[in-house]
Amino acid sequence: MKNGVMLVAISLLASSAHSLADTATANEKQSENSVQEKVKEARLHAKALGGALKSRLQQAIQSGGLEAGVNECQIAAAPIALALSQNGWEVGRTALKVRNPNNAADQWEREQLAWFSQLLTKAKQDNLTPKRPLETYQYDSESGKFRYMMAIEQGQVCMACHGANVAPSVKQSILKHYPNDQATGFELGELRGAFTLSYTP
């Protein structure tokens, strides 16, 4: 009889262990799915910010030249980012060399920017095309806080204001709005900065 009781107890313990393992696995899958949903949302917000800024910038340049583009970027960037910063999201841009000091990177952002830069440099040296988008994220399972960054590469349209040969009149317009500007001297394809986003439940 004792053996029978012991077998029942062992069976119950084994059943309980399986149940706990199944629950843990289900929770892990649910958590991973939640993270991947946040990655998708972050990509959409980053692309929305980039697309809106690019559109406003191009329109301003076409109508008033590069100086107007500098003015438009200064006027439009913050309101566009603010409009996208809803429902727990905070959307913005950052860089190792910033134009707007309000966009200065924190420690985690600096680490990710350095990593992006290394990836692009190595890809150029090896004559390879890196998988895009270049992105990274951080998730805190306890608080539910999620952070995401997507690299911004120096494109041709940005060279006139961020490249090595910025026209004096454009430079003057930049310094009017950003007297401590650091964001020039970039080469085509180099890391310019990144979209940086955070989600807080």
Side-chain angles (χ1 to χ4, degrees):
M1 185 66 180
K2 289 182 179 179
N3 288 340
V5 172
M6 186 176 292
L7 286 172
V8 170
I10 292 172
S11 176
L12 287 171
L13 286 171
S15 176
S16 177
H18 280 300
S19 178
L20 289 171
D22 290 344
T23 300
T25 301
N27 288 340
E28 287 175 5
K29 288 182 179 178
Q30 184 177 1
S31 178
E32 180 59 24
N33 289 339
S34 177
V35 170
Q36 291 308 313
E37 285 300 315
K38 286 290 176 287
V39 170
K40 290 178 182 177
E41 285 184 59
R43 284 177 186 155
L44 290 174
H45 287 315
K47 290 177 180 179
L49 175 57
L53 281 172
K54 185 176 180 179
S55 177
R56 292 282 293 269
L57 185 60
Q58 289 176 331
Q59 290 174 12
I61 291 173
Q62 288 174 1
S63 63
L66 292 171
E67 293 81 359
V70 172
N71 293 335
E72 184 64 22
C73 195
Q74 188 268 335
I75 293 168
I80 293 172
L82 185 61
L84 292 168
S85 298
Q86 298 182 9
N87 302 317
W89 284 99
E90 185 174 339
V91 182
R93 295 175 300 161
T94 189
L96 293 172
K97 298 195 298 181
V98 294
R99 177 151 289 171
N100 185 339
N102 294 331
N103 294 337
D106 63 23
Q107 181 62 36
W108 183 76
E109 290 169 331
R110 286 194 295 271
E111 291 171 359
Q112 310 319 306
L113 288 163
W115 180 61
F116 287 151
S117 182
Q118 290 170 7
L119 287 178
L120 289 173
T121 299
K122 182 169 176 52
K124 186 177 181 179
Q125 290 172 346
D126 297 343
N127 198 26
L128 298 173
T129 301
K131 183 180 178 181
R132 293 182 174 88
L134 289 180
E135 58 185 0
T136 185
Y137 65 85
Q138 179 187 72
Y139 174 66
D140 185 332
S141 59
E142 291 187 5
S143 66
K145 185 168 183 177
F146 172 84
R147 299 189 72 181
Y148 172 91
M149 291 179 71
M150 179 190 289
I152 301 172
E153 297 173 53
Q154 178 75 6
Q156 187 62 54
V157 70
C158 305
M159 291 299 289
C161 296
H162 291 284
N165 298 307
V166 178
S169 60
V170 177
K171 186 69 174 177
Q172 184 178 359
S173 183
I174 292 170
L175 292 176
K176 175 184 175 183
H177 297 293
Y178 309 104
N180 298 313
D181 176 51
Q182 304 170 4
T184 56
F186 292 97
E187 296 181 4
L188 192 64
E190 188 179 3
L191 181 72
R192 164 68 189 88
F195 297 107
T196 181
L197 300 89
S198 65
Y199 172 81
T200 304

